[in-house]
Amino acid sequence: LKGSDGRYWDYCVVPGKDDGEAEDAPGNIFLTAHLGCKCKIRLDVWEHYQNDPLYRNEKTGELDLTKVPYKDRITVEAMSKEGFLCRRTPSSGNFLVCPVSKTCAGSSVGGPGGALPSAWFSGVSGKSWDFCAPTPEDQPVKSPEDAAADEQQAADEQQA
């Protein structure tokens, strides 16, 4: 559906401002289905599955996405290619999804008594992704390997 502000929406979200994090790097998308949550590269999730032989195809040695639990599969799929973090993936069907910041575990949803912690990100099957809606200002992001190299370079510069 095309909204009055020119954006395309495939579910309801409350348009609003950033959740207050200090910096907004390219690829952070402010609008996700959960209030106070934003898209963010999740190298921790990416590296966990890339480096664990349990998730590899025995014959090819490549990452086998069917072995990645659903709670993280969409995160890994969304980060598998350069471009926008907010995208459709093989497991998301027609919905736009993205990896989300670790701080989303504390995000809230409205309930009859006020804001409630969201079970979407917590518990045994807490997800590392959310539904999203890109804004016109969003920029493509780097591959996980390039993002990891940038993080390492920044860490090296801080130590020097």
Side-chain angles (χ1 to χ4, degrees), residues 57-119:
N57 180 298
E58 293 177 17
K59 293 179 182 176
T60 66
E62 296 292 319
L63 179 64
D64 183 349
L65 291 170
T66 63
K67 294 182 178 182
V68 176
Y70 184 72
K71 70 185 194 91
D72 292 327
R73 184 178 306 154
I74 286 178
T75 292
V76 175
E77 289 174 347
M79 292 178 58
S80 294
K81 297 179 183 173
E82 288 189 36
F84 292 100
L85 278 181
C86 183
R87 62 174 64 176
R88 289 177 181 89
T89 72
S91 298
S92 72
N94 288 326
F95 294 100
L96 294 170
V97 293
C98 68
V100 293
S101 171
K102 290 180 190 179
T103 60
C104 291
S107 68
S108 301
V109 293
L116 305 169
S118 175

Side-chain angles (χ1 to χ4, degrees), residues 5 19-20 37 46 48 52 63 82 92-94 102-103 138 142 157:
D5 60 358
D19 66 1
C37 188
W46 174 262
H48 172 75
D52 191 332
L63 179 64
E82 288 189 36
S92 72
N94 288 326
K102 290 180 190 179
T103 60
D138 292 325
K142 297 179 180 181
E157 289 173 2

Side-chain angles (χ1 to χ4, degrees), residues 32-45:
T32 66
H34 291 86
L35 185 63
C37 188
K38 65 167 54 172
C39 298
K40 191 157 181 117
I41 292 173
R42 288 293 301 272
L43 290 177
D44 59 323
V45 175

